[in-house]
Amino acid sequence: MSSRSEAITCEFCIALQVRVLYCITGASSLVLKPKTTDDVSRIMAHCDKRHLAVVPQGGNTGLVGGSVPVFDEVVLSTALMNKILDLDEISGVVTCQAGCILETLDDHVAERGLAMPLDLGAKASCHIGGNVSTSAGGLRLIRYGSLHGSVLGLEAVLASGEVLDCMSGMRKDNTGYDLKQLLIGSEGTLGVVTKVAILCPSRPAAVNVALLACNSFADVLKTLQKGKAMLSEILSAFELIDSASMMAVEKYLHLRNPLSSGEFYCLIETSGSHAGHDEEKLTAFLDSVMEEGSVCDGTVAQGITQQKDLWALRERVAEALLREGYTYKYDVSLPTRHFYDIVVDMRRHLAGAAVLGCYGYGHVGDGNVHLNVTTRQYDADVGHRIEPYVFEWVRGRHGSISAEHGLGFKKRDFIHYSKAASAVAWMKRFKTLMDPNGILNPYKTLPE
Amino acid sequence: MSSRSEAITCEFCIALQVRVLYCITGASSLVLKPKTTDDVSRIMAHCDKRHLAVVPQGGNTGLVGGSVPVFDEVVLSTALMNKILDLDEISGVVTCQAGCILETLDDHVAERGLAMPLDLGAKASCHIGGNVSTSAGGLRLIRYGSLHGSVLGLEAVLASGEVLDCMSGMRKDNTGYDLKQLLIGSEGTLGVVTKVAILCPSRPAAVNVALLACNSFADVLKTLQKGKAMLSEILSAFELIDSASMMAVEKYLHLRNPLSSGEFYCLIETSGSHAGHDEEKLTAFLDSVMEEGSVCDGTVAQGITQQKDLWALRERVAEALLREGYTYKYDVSLPTRHFYDIVVDMRRHLAGAAVLGCYGYGHVGDGNVHLNVTTRQYDADVGHRIEPYVFEWVRGRHGSISAEHGLGFKKRDFIHYSKAASAVAWMKRFKTLMDPNGILNPYKTLPE
C-alpha cells in the first residue's frame, strides 16, 4: 500500500525546504490499516521496539501537515476503524471508533434527534479521531464549544502499545486527572486516538441564515454584540467575509452576492427548537441593527437552497483564492476588537510587494480570523516579509498563531509566539515521558 | 495564623481513621496568604527546597477534604488573591486571580450583561481557583458545560515555584498540548492555580422555574427527554428530588411542597433571552407532558421569591438530612436510565440495617445522583455495608464514583472503581514528574 501523496526523500525535503513549509506532501512505503484497538496496540509495540516512526492518519484533511509523513514514517490509517459502537439516546452520548467520518456520525445521530457538536468544511471525509487529535474547531464552536468540553471519553494507544483507557460516557467524572485532555489537540504526538465518546446536543428544528452588510469593522463589532445579546441561545454562527474576499468568490467562482454594497459581510446563523420564535428574534435583531445604522443592507435566506448559497460565499473563499494564485494562509485568534486590524496592517506592511490581494474572513464570533495573502506564484521574498512579522503581530496582541488548524509540521517552529517557554518545556517533558523513543508523529507540534 | 478546623495529629488520625473517612477536619500551624503569583512562587520554591508539604486552599467548601491539611501541611490560602484583572465585553472573557469569590465574579460580569458559566450552592464563599482546581460542576452544567470547556486560560505555580503560564483569553488556541487541562480537576496536587480566564455566556433576560411531579422514574425519563427536545436551548437545569428527600425538607426545614403528591419531583429551569418565547415553550412542554400523563402535577413559580422557594426544596435537601442524623453521602454519575436504580437497590441492600432513610436527588439532566443514607449516629457497620458495595455497583454500570465532588482525601483510595489501572499509573507518573518531592497537597487524589 502507498500513501496518496508524492514522495519526499530526506534530500528532497532539504532541497525544497521553503516549498515544504507551504505545501505539505509526503510519502511512506507502508500504510497500515488496523481494524481494532488491539491491532493498533500490536503495531505500536512492534514499531516502538524497532524504533520505527509512525504517523497516525485520519481523513488527511489537515492544513498544517500533521498527518503527512515527513521522511519515511509508517502511516497508521484509521480508515477501517469505522464502527459506531453505541448511542445513548437519553444522554445524547455517541461512542465510536476513531475512523468514523464526521458526516456519517452526524447522519447517524440525526436519526435520534441529535447533532454532532462540531461541523467543518471537511466533514464528508475527516475522521472523528483526527478531529479530536487536532481539537478541530469549525463553524459552530460559538454555539457548542470546543472538543475539550464535548469529548467525554477517549481511548488511545500510546507509543509503547499500552492502551490508555479514559473511556466514559458520563458528563461528570471528577475522579482524578483528566488525562484524555492531553490527547485532545496533541496531533497524534502523544498517542493514537482509537475510540471516543462525544456529547451531542439536540438537533435544531429550525435554522435561519442571514447575510448582512456593514460599512466598517466598528459596525461589525456593534452587530456582533447585539447579535450575542438578542439572538443569544439560538446564535449558531457569526462569520465575517471582507469585501475583498466577497469580490474573490464573485470573480473566481461566479457566486452571486445578493447585497449591493458593503465593506464587510456578516453571515449569521440561528439554530433553535421553535421556528416561529427564532424568526421573531431574528427579525427583532435585524430591525434593531438596521435602525441604529450598524447594518446597511441585509437578506435572510428563504429555504435551504438559499441558505447553502449564502454559506457558500463564506465557505468557498479559500477555494476562490487558490484560483488567484499562490496563497499564504494564516489562521489566527485575536481579541475581537483587533480581529480585522491584522488585515489592515498587513496591507500597509506589504505595500509595494508583488502581492495580488490581502484578505480577511473567518469566525469573528470566536475571534478567529483567516488572513490570506495572494501572489501570482510562490515568492520567497513575500514570504519573508510576512513571516515572522505576522506572528510577532499576533503575539503583541496576546493572540494565537494557530486558532484551529494546529501546528503540525508547518507551524511547530513558531510555537514560541503563542506559548510561554515554560509551557513548551513542559510539553517536551510530557512527550519524553509518554513517547521516550520519539516514534509518534515526529517533526510535528513540538519545535526542533 | 491557624486553620479554622480542629487539630488532628498523626496519632489522632490513625486512632480516628474511620471517622476521618466521613468527616474531614484538619489543622496547620501555618496559614500563608499570598497576594501575588510571585508570592506563591517564592513560597513554593522555599517549601520545595525544604520538603515542606503545602495544601492550597480556596473557600474551603469542598466535600471530600481536598483543601484540608491531613497532618501539619502549610496551608496556602488564596483569600487575598482576589483581584479581577480584566473583562473583555465583546468576547465575554473575564480574567482574575484565583481567590475571587464566585458570586463576586458573577455580580461583576452581570454589570456587562454576562453570567459566570457555573453556579453552585457555595457560590458566596467558594473561590474560582478552587472551582477550577476541583472542576466544580454545579446546577447549570447541563446548559453551560464543564470548566474544561469554559476555562480559556490558566496560570499555576508548580511545586518547584516555577510559574506555568497558560494564560489566554482566546476561545481558539491550537498551539500544542492544552496543559492547563491537567490542572483543572487535579485538586491542587499538580500546581497552585493563581489566575484564570473564563468565558462567560450572555446573562439570561428571562428565567422560569417549574416543579413537576411524576409517579415513576420511567415518567421522569420521559419528561427529561421531552424537556431536552422541547426546551432545548433554553433548558438551564433539570433536577430531581425523590419523595423521601421532599418529605425531609418538609419535616426538618418546614419548607412547603406546593404539589399534592408524587413519587418524584423534577425542578426545571429555563433561561433565555426572550421572556414571551420562553413562557410559550414552557407552556407547550407542560401541556405535552401533562397530556401524555408522564407528569401528574406541576406548578410554575410566579416571581423570583417563588422561584427561590422552589429551588430551596432541591438545594436544601443535604441540609435537611443533616438534621436527621449522620449522613453517608455519595455523589455518583450513572447512565441516566440507571440514575435511580442505585437508590432502589441500596434500600434493598440495607434492609434490616439501622438506617433511617435512603435518599436520591440531584442533577438528573447530567446523570449525577446524590445518594444519601442516614443513621441516628455514625455506625461503622452501616458504613461497611454501603462501601465498597456502592462503588462496585457504580463500576458495574460504567459510572463515576465521584461526579463533581472530586476525590480529595476521602475518596482517593476508591479511584480504581472509576479509573482504569493504566490511567491511575499515568496519573502517578505525571505527579512524580511535576512534583518530584511530593509536597503539593499530599494524601489527596492519588491512591496510597
Side-chain angles (χ1 to χ4, degrees):
Chain A
M1 285 176 285
S2 68
S3 164
R4 67 181 79 167
S5 316
E6 22 168 320
I8 296 188
T9 65
C10 176
E11 300 73 29
F12 196 28
C13 182
I14 292 164
L16 287 182
Q17 195 178 7
V18 175
R19 181 162 170 76
V20 166
L21 280 170
Y22 297 94
C23 170
I24 301 294
T25 55
S28 171
S29 51
L30 184 62
V31 179
L32 298 173
K33 294 187 172 178
K35 287 184 175 175
T36 67
T37 300
D38 189 51
D39 290 347
V40 177
S41 173
R42 284 183 293 130
I43 290 169
M44 291 309 303
H46 177 86
C47 291
D48 198 39
K49 203 169 165 188
R50 296 190 171 207
H51 289 213
L52 299 173
V54 175
V55 181
Q57 192 175 84
N60 208 9
T61 60
L63 294 170
V64 290
S67 62
V68 176
V70 176
F71 296 119
D72 56 355
E73 300 95 297
V74 173
V75 173
L76 195 162
S77 163
T78 52
L80 301 183
M81 300 182 72
N82 54 7
K83 284 203 177 68
I84 298 173
L85 303 169
D86 187 50
L87 175 57
D88 185 319
E89 293 178 40
I90 304 175
S91 63
V93 177
V94 65
T95 305
C96 65
Q97 283 188 300
C100 289
I101 289 171
L102 178 58
E103 193 168 57
T104 308
L105 286 171
D106 195 51
D107 290 344
H108 182 79
V109 303
E111 291 170 17
R112 295 292 178 272
L114 300 166
M116 291 299 287
L118 76 162
D119 191 5
L120 51 157
K123 67 182 168 190
S125 54
C126 64
H127 294 190
I128 193 70
N131 297 149
V132 170
S133 297
T134 59
S135 190
L139 302 166
R140 291 181 183 90
L141 189 135
I142 192 173
R143 173 65 168 274
Y144 300 116
S146 83
L147 288 169
H148 287 286
S150 41
V151 173
L152 302 185
L154 184 150
E155 177 194 81
V157 176
L158 306 183
S160 66
E162 179 186 345
V163 179
L164 179 64
D165 176 4
C166 301
M167 283 306 287
S168 165
M170 300 297 104
R171 256 197 110 160
K172 289 177 171 177
D173 175 22
N174 268 358
T175 54
Y177 309 161
D178 197 352
L179 301 175
K180 69 173 184 290
Q181 299 285 356
L182 260 191
L183 277 293
I184 300 173
S186 64
E187 302 184 290
T189 61
L190 296 179
V192 183
V193 172
T194 46
K195 275 184 205 155
V196 290
I198 296 186
L199 182 69
C200 301
S202 293
R203 200 165 192 89
V207 174
N208 292 295
V209 178
L211 186 73
L212 312 179
C214 299
N215 283 324
S216 68
F217 188 71
D219 283 343
V220 171
L221 287 183
K222 281 185 202 158
T223 309
L224 173 62
Q225 278 194 281
K226 190 142 262 185
K228 286 171 86 169
M230 293 185 72
L231 300 173
S232 192
E233 67 274 7
I234 61 165
L235 185 63
S236 55
F238 200 116
E239 301 281 310
L240 188 84
I241 310 162
D242 70 358
S243 56
S245 302
M246 184 62 92
M247 280 190 272
V249 293
E250 290 180 276
K251 179 176 174 185
Y252 297 110
L253 304 178
H254 311 295
L255 303 187
R256 198 181 72 82
N257 170 12
L259 305 183
S260 54
S261 69
E263 284 303 305
F264 296 94
Y265 299 89
C266 299
L267 187 146
I268 294 174
E269 186 191 76
T270 67
S271 304
S273 59
H274 191 297
H277 291 171
D278 294 5
E279 276 163 32
E280 259 187 58
K281 285 191 182 84
L282 185 59
T283 303
F285 160 70
L286 293 175
D287 287 349
S288 172
V289 287
M290 299 286 276
E291 196 179 321
E292 76 177 19
S294 46
V295 166
C296 58
D297 197 3
T299 182
V300 178
Q302 304 300 315
I304 290 176
T305 306
Q306 280 189 21
Q307 288 184 359
K308 284 186 177 167
D309 288 346
L310 291 187
W311 264 114
L313 296 169
R314 160 64 190 86
E315 288 200 275
R316 296 183 70 189
V317 174
E319 181 191 342
L321 298 182
L322 283 177
R323 308 264 177 113
E324 184 159 88
Y326 184 85
T327 311
Y328 302 79
K329 289 168 172 288
Y330 300 93
D331 161 52
V332 304
S333 275
L334 288 168
T336 321
R337 64 188 176 281
H338 293 307
F339 184 92
Y340 201 71
D341 291 350
I342 194 170
V343 185
V344 174
D345 189 76
M346 190 55 74
R347 284 184 185 139
R348 184 198 55 71
H349 177 72
L350 292 176
V355 160
L356 296 175
C358 188
Y359 305 87
Y361 58 98
H363 317 291
V364 67
D366 302 323
N368 174 192
V369 56
H370 298 309
L371 166 71
N372 284 194
V373 176
T374 54
T375 51
R376 206 162 303 279
Q377 58 211 1
Y378 175 70
D379 181 332
D381 286 344
V382 172
H384 291 136
R385 273 183 79 162
I386 301 176
E387 296 181 23
Y389 180 84
V390 64
F391 301 126
E392 284 164 0
W393 202 98
V394 170
R395 176 168 60 189
R397 277 83 187 166
H398 307 289
S400 167
I401 61 132
S402 186
E404 56 179 11
H405 294 173
L407 295 172
F409 178 68
K410 284 173 75 172
K411 293 196 178 162
R412 64 184 182 128
D413 285 328
F414 304 116
I415 191 172
H416 289 287
Y417 288 98
S418 286
K419 278 264 189 298
S422 61
V424 176
W426 276 103
M427 279 177 57
K428 288 184 176 173
R429 286 182 203 117
F430 287 129
K431 170 71 175 177
T432 303
L433 182 69
M434 296 180 76
D435 179 15
N437 296 320
I439 65 160
L440 260 172
N441 218 3
Y443 330 112
K444 312 288 170 60
T445 311
L446 297 142
E448 282 265 34
Chain B
M1 286 175 284
S2 69
S3 166
R4 66 182 81 169
S5 316
E6 19 168 322
I8 295 188
T9 65
C10 176
E11 299 74 27
F12 197 30
C13 180
I14 292 163
L16 287 183
Q17 195 176 8
V18 175
R19 180 162 170 75
V20 165
L21 281 170
Y22 296 96
C23 172
I24 302 294
T25 55
S28 172
S29 51
L30 183 62
V31 178
L32 298 173
K33 295 187 174 178
K35 288 184 176 175
T36 67
T37 300
D38 188 51
D39 290 348
V40 178
S41 173
R42 284 182 295 130
I43 289 168
M44 290 310 303
H46 176 87
C47 290
D48 198 42
K49 203 170 166 188
R50 297 190 170 205
H51 289 213
L52 299 173
V54 175
V55 180
Q57 192 176 82
N60 208 9
T61 60
L63 295 170
V64 290
S67 61
V68 177
V70 177
F71 296 119
D72 55 355
E73 299 95 298
V74 173
V75 173
L76 194 162
S77 163
T78 52
L80 301 183
M81 299 180 73
N82 55 5
K83 284 203 176 71
I84 299 173
L85 303 169
D86 187 51
L87 175 57
D88 184 320
E89 293 179 40
I90 304 175
S91 63
V93 177
V94 65
T95 306
C96 64
Q97 284 189 300
C100 289
I101 288 171
L102 178 58
E103 194 168 57
T104 307
L105 286 172
D106 195 50
D107 291 343
H108 181 79
V109 303
E111 291 170 17
R112 295 291 178 271
L114 301 165
M116 290 300 288
L118 77 162
D119 191 6
L120 51 157
K123 66 182 168 190
S125 54
C126 64
H127 293 190
I128 193 70
N131 296 148
V132 170
S133 297
T134 59
S135 190
L139 302 165
R140 291 181 183 92
L141 189 134
I142 193 173
R143 173 66 168 273
Y144 301 116
S146 83
L147 288 170
H148 287 288
S150 42
V151 173
L152 303 185
L154 184 149
E155 178 194 79
V157 175
L158 306 183
S160 65
E162 179 186 346
V163 179
L164 179 64
D165 175 4
C166 303
M167 283 306 288
S168 165
M170 300 297 104
R171 257 198 108 159
K172 290 177 169 174
D173 175 22
N174 267 359
T175 54
Y177 309 161
D178 197 352
L179 301 174
K180 70 174 183 288
Q181 300 285 354
L182 262 190
L183 277 291
I184 300 173
S186 64
E187 302 184 291
T189 61
L190 296 179
V192 182
V193 172
T194 46
K195 277 184 202 154
V196 290
I198 296 185
L199 182 70
C200 300
S202 294
R203 199 166 193 89
V207 174
N208 292 296
V209 179
L211 187 72
L212 311 179
C214 299
N215 283 323
S216 68
F217 188 72
D219 283 344
V220 171
L221 287 184
K222 281 184 203 159
T223 309
L224 172 61
Q225 278 194 279
K226 190 142 263 183
K228 285 171 86 169
M230 294 185 71
L231 301 172
S232 191
E233 66 273 7
I234 62 165
L235 185 64
S236 55
F238 200 117
E239 301 281 311
L240 189 86
I241 311 161
D242 71 358
S243 56
S245 302
M246 184 62 92
M247 280 189 272
V249 292
E250 289 180 277
K251 179 177 174 185
Y252 297 109
L253 305 178
H254 312 293
L255 303 188
R256 197 181 72 81
N257 171 11
L259 305 183
S260 53
S261 69
E263 284 302 306
F264 297 92
Y265 299 89
C266 300
L267 187 146
I268 293 173
E269 184 190 77
T270 67
S271 304
S273 57
H274 191 295
H277 292 171
D278 293 4
E279 275 163 33
E280 260 187 58
K281 285 191 182 83
L282 185 59
T283 303
F285 161 71
L286 294 174
D287 287 349
S288 173
V289 288
M290 297 287 275
E291 195 177 323
E292 76 176 19
S294 46
V295 165
C296 59
D297 197 4
T299 182
V300 177
Q302 304 300 315
I304 290 176
T305 306
Q306 280 189 23
Q307 288 184 359
K308 285 186 177 168
D309 288 346
L310 291 187
W311 264 114
L313 295 169
R314 160 62 191 86
E315 288 199 275
R316 296 184 68 189
V317 174
E319 180 191 344
L321 298 182
L322 283 177
R323 310 266 176 112
E324 184 158 87
Y326 184 85
T327 311
Y328 303 79
K329 291 169 170 287
Y330 302 93
D331 161 52
V332 304
S333 275
L334 288 168
T336 321
R337 65 189 175 281
H338 294 306
F339 183 92
Y340 201 71
D341 292 350
I342 194 169
V343 185
V344 175
D345 189 77
M346 190 55 73
R347 285 185 185 137
R348 183 199 55 71
H349 177 72
L350 293 176
V355 160
L356 296 175
C358 189
Y359 305 87
Y361 59 97
H363 318 291
V364 67
D366 304 323
N368 174 194
V369 57
H370 298 309
L371 167 71
N372 283 194
V373 176
T374 53
T375 51
R376 205 163 304 279
Q377 56 209 2
Y378 174 70
D379 181 332
D381 287 344
V382 172
H384 292 137
R385 274 183 78 163
I386 300 176
E387 296 180 21
Y389 180 85
V390 63
F391 301 127
E392 285 164 359
W393 201 99
V394 171
R395 175 168 60 186
R397 277 82 185 167
H398 308 291
S400 168
I401 61 135
S402 186
E404 56 179 10
H405 293 173
L407 296 172
F409 178 67
K410 284 174 75 172
K411 293 197 178 161
R412 63 184 183 129
D413 286 328
F414 304 116
I415 190 171
H416 290 286
Y417 289 99
S418 285
K419 278 264 190 297
S422 60
V424 176
W426 276 104
M427 279 176 57
K428 288 184 175 173
R429 285 181 204 120
F430 288 130
K431 172 71 175 175
T432 303
L433 183 68
M434 296 180 76
D435 179 16
N437 297 320
I439 64 161
L440 260 171
N441 218 3
Y443 330 112
K444 312 289 169 61
T445 313
L446 296 141
E448 282 265 29

